[in-house]
Amino acid sequence: MAEEKKKKAIDRLKAMYPLRARIDEVYKNSVKAMREGKPTAWSMVNWWEGDPIIMAMGVEAVYPENYGAACAAAGAAPAYLERAGADGFPDHICGYARNCIGYTARMKDLGEIPPEAPMGGMPKPVLLMSAGSLCDARYKWFQALGRYLDAPVWVLELPHLGVKEGLMEGAYDQAIRFMVEELREFVGFLEKLLGKKMDWDKLEDISNDIIDMNRIWYETNELRKARPCPMHSRDFWTCMTGCLYPAGDLKALKKMYQDLYDEVKYRVENKIAACPNEKYRLVFAELPPWHSLKFFDRLAERGWSFVVESWAYHPPKPIDLSQVKDPLERIAKFTYQWFAGYFEESEKQGEQMGYFGYPYLEYARDWQCDGALLHPLLSCRTATNHLMYVQDRLIQKLNVPSLVASGDIVDLTLFDPEDTLRRAEAFEETMDHYKEVRKKEGLGW
Amino acid sequence: MSEKSRGLSKVEEICSQRSGRAKELKDEGKKIMGYFCIYPPLEMLSALDLLPYRILGDMREPITKADACLPTVVCPFDRSALDLGLKGKYDFLDGVVWAHVCEVGEKTAHVWRTYLNPAYFHFVDIPHTIHKPAQNQFVQQLKDFQKTLMSFTGKKLTSEMLVEAINAHNEQRSLVRKLYDLRKPDPPLISGSEVIKTLKAIMSLPVKEGSELLREVISEVGERKDGVPFRPVRLLIWGSIIDDTPLIEMMEELGANVVMDDTCVGSRAFFPDVKLTPDPLEGLAYRYLVDLKCPRTFKESTYGETKKDYLTDLRSRFSYISDYAKEWKVSGVVLQSVRYCDIHGYEVPGLGDYLDSVGLPHTYIEHTYDERSLAPLRTRIQAFLEIIRS
């Protein structure tokens, strides 16, 4: 007798699988192209500020942050972390960075890609494209790699204005002017580095595809406001990579995001839930424990549906850039929109942390969340700095409680899923309590 | 404040209640402007007759309030400063200026603004690089800062006022350099602890009063006969903020004189002058963005280089430290940082390589900005001093 197949706690999107496979394939193709002699850049996530430019210049990019998650998942990270420690890097700095530093040190020792490196490894780069966005590690880490590599470092600039200062007269225009000037310098630098001229038509095409792909991705996430939620955070985390680390044939990738959108829309129209037993709707901040993602299935079994997450990895609120003629200005405005797109609303609400802080209030309200799961990372200031603040703002302003569970993105020993599950059970009573409080205060969910 | 005390005894008096003079001046109608880290241009505050008052932490006071809004895995100095703010110890400030000094500092700014809600608050963004467009952007940032300052004080800030303030701060910097000259003899005429206290004191006084105090200290120290005892090791201390004396005192007890520093209640804050430029804001921007030597700013040996040579890069970033070592006859370097300070943490192996290349012994220690975390470091410092002595 055929045993009835146990229903999965999270109903993953069908369109996610080819997208994930495509992302993996694009990565492997990049590695292959690099091995065949194509210039390679190691790049920090840069929110589309530098990606379209190096793509238009024919440079293949790999992303050591993303590679850190891959090493963690494949079990290769501990040896690299240990090597970074042995070379004198303090153990509190970013887990992705220590993984990359250890990897690079080993590559230097061997004179080639370490044989145990997951996914074919990262080939020697001609450029380290770092970014000043959000995180000090994003430029200090690549600067520190000078110990092992002779590749130059370029730091992409992104102004980090406060909410009030960012809304001062002229501040926006000045920020964009600065970014455009820096990007023009970057193009000049790349032309010198690679001995070739920028293909401006190609840049135009690539930047438009990236902007459009993000629009589709944004609209997909908007659909998740529906009850029941049609897409779980696990699908978000799998799919975000295509947008955050654009590579390969962007038109084909865009089509995959469109397929994803269509499937989510179909689910909304037919009330198909990602978490069939949706009882609690939650927001997650910031990066998940990549090594323990099945933990979310166990929460889903309890009816926990993660409906929105990770401000830093969400696409920007769409803005009309069709009238902007200069592709560098369009890129600058798009990236800055990601960073500062919540400022006006934040100011109206009297909130001072317009990025990383206020967006979670908007998420909790608009996605109608019962609670938040906050995940401080012991080796990542960026994903952690603001979490106590977010916890306080959510409860003070919206009566949405938070559960704090510490861990790490790379080091699995720092996360205790069993203890978190035990605390989750108790947290359900808190969520129930605040649901009543919100109802009494007329908050609408 | 006692009118009789002068020089080092006045320094002690100020440090025992650092906000005392600021509160006196506040009672007389002066506005007190708190600033965090060394990046807000103090000249702009002094020019408008505001008293720049450095916001510091207190490593002797347990953090009990700040954990509610900053996690424990971020900079303990920032947490301590915020903790004091939340306990009302900075309530006398009329306003606060904060700069994008590092990522945690940046978030702490927004947290401070939210929970302490001062009457005036301005956040100055600072680029990460020193390219010409970054310098221009910083000038624009200072112009926005100027606008909000003028609106807050109701006064116009003219170029003439700025030039006068720049001259006053440059004069103070020159006095600090003279104070540091007193550390060059062997034994030094002034101890590392006395220097920290003196600098901490002047960071709570109007610039001209601070300069007067420096003159008194320099004169007193130059004349005294029973100053610092001879100790066999002369140390330079590098790294994140040190705003109290226990770490230095521990090194002194173990047989070393701390004769030079590269920290931000130290030479890093005071050594570079502001050059006078036709638009004084440009000179200020250059000094604070390019000349300050904190690792929060990305610098390279040649702008736009297409191939990096490691040693050349290290020399361009750190050669000033070996210059200090030669001038102050340093026999070893202690690299120290508060735990969770990323910008200093990434710097440690590279700086270690540089010091190896110039033959300077070094060690790295980490602490959590409290006296308790210093105790286990005692043995390591002792071992380091023995290595140097041998």
Side-chain angles (χ1 to χ4, degrees), chain B residues 108 172 247 374:
Chain B
T108 309
Q172 183 170 90
L247 182 61
L374 298 182

Side-chain angles (χ1 to χ4, degrees), chain A residues 179-191:
Chain A
M179 290 174 74
V180 172
E181 280 175 17
E182 279 287 325
L183 291 178
R184 221 171 286 292
E185 297 268 319
F186 183 44
V187 170
F189 163 73
L190 283 177
E191 289 179 341

Side-chain angles (χ1 to χ4, degrees), chain A residues 238-252:
Chain A
T238 302
C239 297
M240 71 182 193
T241 320
C243 265
L244 276 177
Y245 306 106
D249 180 351
L250 295 181
K251 291 193 186 343

Side-chain angles (χ1 to χ4, degrees), chain A residues 139 147 157 185 355 382 392, chain B residues 103 106 115 129 303 353:
Chain A
Y139 59 101
R147 214 166 191 240
E157 286 277 20
E185 297 268 319
Y355 50 96
T382 312
D392 182 64
Chain B
E103 180 199 339
E106 170 210 341
Y115 293 105
T129 62
Y303 171 54
D353 289 343

